[in-house]
Each structure stands twice: as structure tokens, then as C-alpha cells.
Amino acid sequence: MKVLLIGGGGREHALAWKLARSPRLSDMVAAPGNPGIAAHARCIPVKDVALDELVALAKDERPDLVVVGPEAPLSLGLADRLRDHGYPVFGASAAAARLESSKAFAKDLMARHGIPTARFQTFQDAVAARRFCRELGAPLVVKADGLAAGKGVTVCRTLEEADRALALCFEARAFGDSGLTVVIEEFLEGEEASFFVVSDGAAVLPLIGAQDHKTVFDGDQGPNTGGMGAYSPAPVLDASMQERVMADIVRPTIAAMAKEGTPYTGVLYVGLMIAREGPKVIEFNCRFGDPECQAILPRLDGDLLTLLEAVATRRGLPASLAWSPRASVCVVMASAGYPGTYPTGRPITGIETATSLRDVTVFHAGTARKDGALVTAGGRVLGVQASGDDVAAAVATAYAAVERIHFDGAHYRRDIGHRALRRPARAGEGASRRVG
Ligand code: AMP
């Protein structure tokens, strides 16, 4: 089978790495890809949001399956365009991707179908929004409606902070037109976790859970990033919690999307708060998490290509998937200054010595080749993944590998996995079964 993979970050490197392990793969092309992906695929320098060029590329390459990694092309309608031309696509339609691209859409859908989430209201007017903040009381959360690369959400400890966040949306227009619609919701207490499922629009197959670390500094301090590390399994998502998430959240959401005429196909990322009263949705994403993807795919024992093909062609999902009981951790190495401005073009050394360690894989996120040498080319540069018998062992191996890699100004968190290390892992993961 020939695959066209869209995207060029760490998540797409993990997808390429796992797809390349399939005995059914005959050829892979990536757009735009990156130097890590180039080990598995022919990389064509077409941006993931250049829809016309991507459709033309598909016509040239005639793939048997297109796998779309990032959310931006999905929300622009890439999957719809490619399906119109007859290509099987792993990825949501633009209408279904609204679960991620419009927080107001996702919240309204959950409200209509009784899916547990934080109490909320949506506003297009600053005065009414401020009034609702006073009704709700602090702490509360202000969310710009559209895609804002994680920057549109402000957790406000005080009403003054909420006023500032609203001014940013409505007056400074920091999030453009998409920030002129704002969701205000109650602050949820609990532990966060990410849960992944795939759906062909009707049936659902649970994948597995993970936890990530969003802030840039140790101890969950500093500004939010795209994600500084992740690990799987997530102890808080034990087997009974996964069942509950499937029953209370996932199945009703997939059924609601089908009923409303926008069936959901692809991977659904459910961002959860495990509150005392049960799991609640913080957000939906229409793609794999980055870096959660780099942590979870090494645990998949089955064939990723066959799974993604089954979702894309809607010919029936496998009955179950096998997962390694071993733990997996991904530590992100970032450029100096990230998530603010950062330099690029810094030479990277030591990846071969890092990957000579057992159980280690290094995924490229923001790298480039310059005169043959590997250099930094983004904020998040590498995802250093390690497997181990438990999270502690995986963490130790990952950091041993990180220490072998060098680039000027590299920084990374030293406490990835700390929540899992504080509590014993509970049994229950290892196989997931299809439902629906
Ligand atoms: P989101 O982009 O909606 O996932 O929000 C980014 C981050 O803000 C989440 O990962 C949470 O840490 C936090 N957050 C969002 N909504 C809530 C909420 N209702 N209660 C508590 N924290 C929240």
C-alpha cells in the first residue's frame, strides 16, 4: 500500500515510524515531512495548509491512503477535498473537525446531548461576558472560540484576570475574528488526562490514555506550550475509568455527530478532567496529541496501517487492539526561549548515541538539514521517547538519552511523568475492544 502522510512535526514522525513497521506498506510520501520522517518517506516540500497543492500531489502520487496529522488542514477541509477525488482519508471532515476548531460548537453539542463538561455560556459581547463572570465567580476559564494553538485559553484566578482576558479577545482582538466569540466556563478541579479513540463515523474503537505536560518549566510552572512531554499509561485512566469515559462521553459524542449529519471519522482526542464527581470534557481535538502520539504509538503492538485504513475506508474496525503493558515516555527538547521567540539553525549532535540505548527512539519535530548537517528549525526540536517496564524505568532511560543529545540552548523539563511517579500504576490496560 502507498501512503501519503500530511504534516511535518513530531506527531507525524511517530506516525511515519509506526506506519513504516507495517509489512503492508510499499511506499510512503510525506508533505512536507521533516529530516526524521525522511528516513521512512519521500518528503515533498508542500505546506500542510496548501490545499490545492496537496490535492495536486495526491493526483500525481495516487496513494491508497492519505493520513492527515495536524488539525489546520482538517479544519480547512482537506479530508473533504481528497474524498471528493476518491482517496480514502484518515482524518475528519471540516464539519466534524469543528469539535476542535470551534469551542462554542463543541460545548453546544455537549449541552444538547447531555455530555459531561464544565458549565458554560457563549458570548459575542464584552459587557454580557463580564456580567456572566461575576455570576460565575472566580476561578473561571475564558476561551476564544477558534483554533489558537493553545493560546486562546486563560485560566483566571480573579475577576480582574477575567476582565483582562476578555479585553484581549474583544478589544485587542488578539485572536482575530475567532476571539470575538468567547466561551466562559467554570473552573474544574481534578487531574487532567488525554484519551484517544478512532471512529469510522459509526463504530468506535478505544485506543489508550496518556498524560501530557503543557507548561514550559518543572513543577507545572511558566507559560503553556504545545506540550513538553507525555507518558502512557495514565494511572488516573484505569480500566474502569476508561469504560466510564466510553459510556458517558465517547459513545454519546460519536452518536451525536452522526445524528446531526456530521459523522466523525478519524482519531478523536478527548481532553478530560477527572473530577471527583466523574470525568468531564475539557476539550476535543480532531487529531493525535503532540507529544502524546510519540508516547502512545510505541505501545501499539498491532499494525497501524491496517487500523488507519479500516477507519478511512469504513469497511469495519478491528474487534480489538493489543497494547504493550510496558510504559512509554516522551521528553521534548526545545529551543532556548520557547514558547517565546527562539533562534534556529543550531547544530544538533548526539542522536545516534542516544538511539544506541535500548528502548529509545528520537522523533524529529523542528529540525532541518543545512549543508548536510542537522540543525534546529523550530521551538520544539526533538521528542526523545523511551519504553520501560514502568513509568519510572521509561523516565530514567529517556533522560539518559536526552543527556546524550546537544544543541546550543536546549532546554527540557526534568520532571516528565511526575504525576505517575507519585502514585502506583493500576492494572487494566493492555487490550481495547471495539464498541458501537
Ligand atoms: P484547552 O485548550 O481547552 O484544552 O485548555 C488548555 C488548558 O487549560 C487545559 O489543558 C487545562 O489545563 C486548562 N483548562 C481548560 N478548561 C478548564 C476548566 N474548565 N477547568 C480547569 N482547567 C481548564
Side-chain angles (χ1 to χ4, degrees), residues 129-297:
R130 285 199 188 92
R131 198 179 314 128
F132 183 66
C133 289
R134 270 135 193 99
E135 241 173 83
L136 205 56
L140 56 81
V141 186
V142 174
K143 302 185 172 186
D145 180 53
L147 294 179
K151 294 186 190 113
V153 174
T154 316
V155 176
C156 308
R157 304 273 153 202
T158 63
L159 289 173
E160 291 69 40
E161 273 184 60
D163 287 344
R164 277 199 295 277
L166 290 172
L168 215 54
C169 293
F170 287 115
E171 281 142 44
R173 297 194 170 205
F175 309 106
D177 285 350
S178 82
L180 295 178
T181 299
V182 168
V183 171
I184 297 174
E185 63 180 37
E186 71 178 312
F187 176 81
L188 297 174
E189 304 268 3
E191 187 167 340
E192 280 184 64
S194 311
F195 187 57
F196 299 87
V197 305
V198 291
S199 174
D200 60 4
V204 197
L205 182 64
L207 302 182
I208 208 163
Q211 282 179 297
D212 74 340
H213 298 263
K214 283 215 167 60
T215 62
V216 69
F217 299 128
D218 289 6
D220 299 325
Q221 302 295 310
N224 270 349
T225 68
M228 293 299 287
Y231 55 96
S232 176
V236 71
L237 277 179
D238 61 12
S240 71
M241 184 56 75
Q242 288 192 21
E243 285 289 321
R244 195 158 168 200
V245 171
M246 287 300 292
D248 295 354
I249 292 170
V250 174
R251 272 176 250 163
T253 302
I254 297 296
M257 293 296 282
K259 194 168 161 205
E260 299 203 357
T262 52
Y264 191 92
T265 60
V267 58
L268 181 65
Y269 164 144
V270 189
L272 293 163
M273 187 68 84
I274 311 298
R276 218 191 330 230
E277 61 274 25
K280 295 188 181 183
V281 176
I282 294 184
E283 63 166 344
F284 288 119
N285 294 314
C286 58
R287 32 87 192 175
F288 282 104
D290 185 341
E292 290 98 320
C293 187
Q294 296 89 308
I296 65 177
L297 287 186

Side-chain angles (χ1 to χ4, degrees), residues 8-27:
R11 165 183 49 220
E12 288 77 30
H13 187 185
L15 287 165
W17 169 85
K18 189 67 188 173
L19 287 168
R21 273 158 177 67
S22 170
R24 299 182 55 224
L25 185 82
S26 55
D27 190 14

